[in-house]
């Protein structure tokens, strides 16, 4: 494999990982804005979550963010409060 192919493959893999984290954080922040705080800056919220994931123990934190985002997907605010507290409690 050439260096160019390796570089392109690495960049694509990295962007897929970063996009996954970002979209999960975006889903959580969109839910928080809709259900708790209509003035929430979702960009800052997502940055906080992504910084938390990157801070330490990122695999565990990444899994927590993914589980929370999966839980809040396509649920009403009351359903999320009822079903997702355990999955989302640790996410800042």
């Amino acid at each position: 494999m050439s260096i160019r192919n390796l570089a392109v493959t690495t960049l694509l893999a990295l962007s897929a990982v970063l996009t996954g984290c970002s979209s999960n954080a975006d889903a959580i922040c969109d839910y928080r804005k809709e259900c708790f705080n209509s003035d929430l800056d979702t960009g800052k919220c997502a940055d906080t979550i992504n910084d938390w994931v990157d801070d330490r123990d990122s695999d565990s934190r990444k899994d927590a963010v993914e589980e929370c985002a999966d839980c809040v997907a396509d649920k009403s605010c009351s359903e999320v409060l009822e079903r997702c507290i355990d999955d989302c409690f640790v996410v800042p």
Side-chain angles (χ1 to χ4, degrees):
M1 180 180 279
S2 73
I3 291 178
R4 180 174 180 219
N5 287 343
L6 181 60
V8 170
T9 302
T10 302
L11 285 173
L12 289 174
L14 181 60
S15 72
V17 168
L18 294 175
T19 302
C21 291
S22 179
S23 61
N24 285 334
D26 291 340
I28 293 167
C29 295
D30 288 344
Y31 154 74
R32 289 177 179 173
K33 182 172 184 158
E34 179 182 341
C35 296
F36 293 115
N37 181 0
S38 61
D39 295 328
L40 179 71
D41 181 333
T42 55
K44 285 183 183 178
C45 173
D47 287 344
T48 299
I49 292 171
N50 289 327
D51 289 346
W52 177 75
V53 169
D54 292 339
D55 184 42
R56 62 185 163 98
D57 194 20
S58 61
D59 288 338
S60 172
R61 290 179 178 193
K62 182 180 172 189
D63 290 345
V65 169
E66 186 175 337
E67 288 172 11
C68 179
D70 288 345
C71 191
V72 301
D74 300 323
K75 289 186 177 70
S76 69
C77 296
S78 60
E79 288 174 319
V80 169
L81 287 173
E82 185 177 309
R83 299 179 188 169
C84 300
I85 294 299
D86 291 341
D87 291 330
C88 296
F89 184 73
V90 298
V91 178

